[in-house]
Amino acid sequence: MDHAAFYEINKVSHFFSPKKIILGKDTVKKVGDEVKTLGGSKTIIVTDPGLVSAGFVKLVVDALNEAHIEVGIFDKVEPEPPAHIVDECAKMVREGRYGVVIGLGGGSSLDISKGSAMMATHPGAILDYVGTETFHKPGLPKILIPTTAGTGSEVTRSVVVADERDNIKKVVSSSLAIPEVAILDPMLTLSMPPDVTANTGMDALVHAIESYVSVNTTPFAEILAIEAIRLIAHNLPLAYSKGTDVTARYNMLLSANLAGLAFGSGGLGAVHALSYVIGSEYHMSHGRSNAIMLPHVMDFNRSGNLQKFARIAEAMGENVEGLSMYEAAEKSVEAVKKLLNMVQIPFRLSHHGIARDDLPRLVAGGMKQARLFVPNPRDLTEEDVRTIYEKAF
Ligand SMILES: [Fe+2]
């Protein structure tokens, strides 16, 4: 398989990242030092009720108490969070005069913490800031601690919230929303149940694949994404099967982070576009809906960049020796299907209780995210969208 020795030079590339990423076992205990480095003495933990009962919040509170830092807790984050939760949390942050915001949890908690830290210094409501670079001054400093290995939200610019008025996910994207510090402690991900491990791990794989093949990709995104793809293919089966395997968890947390850095630079594509509607209409997790659509969109997309899809197959451990480029690219779709089978995610919409009669609803929902078709390696018409969903039944 030939590898390009040079990157495209006629493009200007941007790379966004936190100031500091700490990766390692038990690094959550360093959170107090990080708050102090950011000049804080009073901090708020933004999280969900599940992490309070699981004891994770106590772990962070204890580390902060040891460093003599005052702590407040906002634990009202819910999955696929509605926008008003950001505004509610920001109000508590402002009124409590907190100096540093700590996000602890999955993508929802991390997004709400980023949004609240920004809204603590801006007037109005989070939905007033939908779009790109809409904030005009820094928010409060943020420390993000993921407890799943998937979203990469700990390193990205985006805050994704549900707008209850039209049931559409809205994105606020600002380089000012990138956290100052991300703490990646694999010990916090050991108790993730197998289905959550599978769903979030597949979300990370979708980030890596979409940013790798995006027409807006950058050298930074390509380098990080292909390694994330390799790590996920080799570690997700074990993390799923044996959740206490720290090596598998460490590598999944690292790869989700690399994939987050990659899509923060290279963008996403049609998998995310076509799965948002499944998430909101059928209350399915973001990762699972992405996982279901991934092989179908890849099958459609592969003609748009045969070489890269061939390299994805190779990175996922497929033997591509002696194959034509067409055959090797096809293997990438097979590799993803094998991985989905291994982590027991059926990739047929009909297996998830979605009826064929719902096709017009899916197509309409998919078309609402057409902004994500722009970076996709193959152009999509409404007819193409319908065909992809049809093949996914
Ligand atoms: Fe995602």
Side-chain angles (χ1 to χ4, degrees):
M1 190 68 36
D2 65 318
H3 286 262
F6 304 101
Y7 290 95
E8 166 62 53
I9 64 159
N10 294 318
K11 269 200 311 200
V12 175
S13 301
H14 294 256
F15 183 67
F16 300 92
S17 75
K19 289 201 176 77
K20 191 191 228 182
I21 302 174
I22 304 172
L23 167 69
K25 280 198 281 182
D26 300 318
T27 46
V28 69
K29 292 177 183 158
K30 297 186 187 303
V31 65
D33 295 339
E34 295 306 319
V35 172
K36 282 182 179 165
T37 306
L38 291 169
S41 58
K42 188 175 179 187
T43 182
I44 183 163
I45 301 171
V46 178
T47 189
D48 67 67
L51 289 176
V52 178
S53 42
F56 286 109
V57 174
K58 187 180 179 301
L59 214 65
V60 179
V61 168
D62 288 349
L64 291 164
N65 283 342
E66 216 162 284
H68 307 289
I69 289 159
E70 210 181 313
V71 198
I73 296 167
F74 177 90
D75 63 359
K76 293 182 192 152
V77 177
E78 37 185 277
E80 315 295 316
H84 69 82
I85 297 189
V86 170
D87 300 320
E88 212 179 299
C89 182
K91 186 168 177 273
M92 184 171 164
V93 173
R94 269 192 305 265
E95 287 175 357
R97 296 180 176 277
Y98 293 100
V100 174
V101 176
I102 297 174
L104 175 73
S108 302
S109 292
L110 303 189
D111 277 15
I112 298 291
S113 70
K114 282 150 71 178
S116 312
M118 293 311 299
M119 291 310 296
T121 61
H122 288 77
I126 185 77
L127 287 175
D128 301 337
Y129 296 87
V130 171
T132 304
E133 301 300 350
T134 43
F135 292 120
H136 46 83
K137 57 184 170 188
L140 294 179
K142 303 159 281 296
I143 300 174
L144 265 58
I145 311 172
T147 59
T148 63
T151 70
S153 177
E154 72 277 5
V155 292
T156 67
R157 286 170 287 168
S158 333
V159 175
V160 183
V161 285
D163 186 340
E164 288 170 299
R165 296 169 302 191
D166 54 11
N167 205 19
I168 298 179
K169 280 200 174 185
K170 300 281 167 73
V171 183
V172 178
S173 181
S174 166
S175 44
L176 294 165
I178 298 174
E180 280 64 24
V181 181
I183 299 179
L184 309 177
D185 184 344
M187 306 312 279
L188 299 183
T189 67
L190 298 188
S191 58
M192 233 194 307
D195 61 331
V196 181
T197 303
N199 294 342
T200 52
M202 288 306 300
D203 186 28
L205 182 65
V206 173
H207 295 158
I209 291 177
E210 295 217 279
S211 60
Y212 186 64
V213 299
S214 156
V215 299
N216 292 338
T217 199
T218 69
F220 308 109
E222 287 188 53
I223 291 162
L224 297 168
I226 196 71
E227 180 61 5
I229 293 167
R230 193 182 70 81
L231 282 174
I232 294 165
H234 290 84
N235 288 279
L236 183 56
L238 182 54
Y240 171 79
S241 310
K242 196 77 186 163
T244 50
D245 189 293
V246 183
T247 306
R249 293 297 198 183
Y250 175 102
N251 282 290
M252 280 308 298
L253 195 54
L254 170 61
S255 56
N257 189 264
L258 298 179
L261 291 167
F263 89 81
S265 172
L268 294 171
V271 182
H272 273 76
L274 301 196
S275 57
Y276 275 148
V277 59
I278 302 172
S280 54
E281 295 277 334
Y282 304 93
H283 302 288
M284 193 185 287
S285 81
H286 173 73
R288 178 150 290 225
S289 55
N290 266 331
I292 297 166
M293 292 313 294
L294 179 62
H296 310 293
V297 174
M298 281 174 76
D299 200 28
F300 174 83
N301 274 351
R302 68 191 147 93
S303 58
N305 200 328
L306 288 164
Q307 249 185 353
K308 277 198 165 167
F309 280 99
R311 281 188 215 135
I312 290 171
E314 193 185 23
M316 292 189 75
E318 291 291 322
N319 185 0
V320 295
E321 279 287 312
L323 295 185
S324 73
M325 198 159 53
Y326 303 110
E327 291 166 331
E330 203 174 348
K331 285 250 181 186
S332 68
V333 185
E334 288 169 30
V336 164
K337 286 182 177 172
K338 285 180 206 162
L339 181 58
L340 286 165
N341 282 331
M342 200 161 273
V343 298
Q344 289 179 291
I345 299 181
F347 46 86
R348 296 270 155 219
L349 291 170
S350 48
H351 286 153
H352 296 272
I354 301 172
R356 264 181 194 274
D357 293 351
D358 289 355
L359 192 60
R361 238 163 93 198
L362 291 173
V363 175
M367 291 307 292
K368 279 185 191 161
Q369 302 292 339
R371 66 182 173 87
L372 284 167
F373 298 169
V374 180
N376 197 65
R378 182 171 167 188
D379 290 335
L380 289 99
T381 62
E382 187 166 339
E383 209 34 57
D384 294 326
V385 170
R386 182 171 296 108
T387 306
I388 295 170
Y389 280 128
E390 258 170 4
K391 285 189 176 167
F393 273 103

